[in-house]
Amino acid sequence: MTEQVEEIVSRLQQAYPDAECELEYQTPLQLLVATVLSAQTTDKQVNKVTVRLFEEHPDLESLLQLTKDEIKEYIHTLGFYNAKADHLYLLFRQLADEFGGEVPQTMEELTKLSGVGRKTANVVMSNAFGIPAIAVDTHVFRVSNRIGLAHAETVEKTEAQLQEAIDREIWSLCHHLLIFHGRRCCSARRPQCESCVIQAYCESYQKGMGTTLSAKEKRA
Ligand code: SF4
């Protein structure tokens, strides 16, 4: 890891000492469900629906009792709730039939589950099982490419470049730091560059592009 990257991480840690997963869960299964639900919506909205869902159906056995329509009733305030209910209905059955009722811990197995892509798998591996991983969501993609930690057109390439630039033992920490920075300072449309703690290390800002959306961001 270069001195510059160390300095960026250190400054972000000072700015966001409480950076952690903002989804609320008690078990790996609940985190998996919450992360599937979090696509195209905010963690706060997900927490609002999972508080009731997890209270009334805390484990797989109980979740398997739900019909698709019942799942929809719990999550209908979220975007894409029809597709998400379809995914969860199938995912619960895959866990029971193919994984002995347990949430698997590898990328290969997790991404076989309905509605689970690399981002969700990385979030679960990292937060539920403590396996170093960098999940690239919209914030991580935008912020890391603006700073210059990555120079990539896709989330897959961004993930690979971040893994290269950052020491493995702090991948998960950096994932949270980049999300917090994206939510609280480096927003998509109006980044607060003048008060940004890593302004001096930000490639976009140094090039005078801190407040200009790049073409790839518009596509993301
Ligand atoms: S200087 Fe601006 S563009 Fe760069 S990380 Fe900070 S807020 Fe984002």
Side-chain angles (χ1 to χ4, degrees), residues 143 146-147 181 185-186 191-193 196 198-199 202 204-205 210:
V143 176
R146 277 182 179 169
I147 297 171
H181 193 55
C185 179
C186 190
Q192 309 294 310
C193 299
C196 176
I198 54 170
Q199 181 197 88
C202 174
S204 292
Y205 185 80

Side-chain angles (χ1 to χ4, degrees), residues 32-53:
L32 177 59
V33 171
T35 312
V36 168
L37 293 176
S38 71
Q40 310 285 331
T41 190
T42 65
D43 290 355
K44 270 187 191 154
Q45 285 178 300
V46 173
N47 291 337
K48 274 185 200 161
V49 307
T50 55
V51 69
R52 184 173 149 238
L53 176 65

Side-chain angles (χ1 to χ4, degrees), residues 131-152:
I131 299 165
I134 301 181
V136 179
D137 69 356
T138 182
H139 298 294
V140 174
F141 179 79
R142 179 182 71 253
V143 176
S144 59
N145 278 288
R146 277 182 179 169
I147 297 171
L149 289 172
H151 302 86

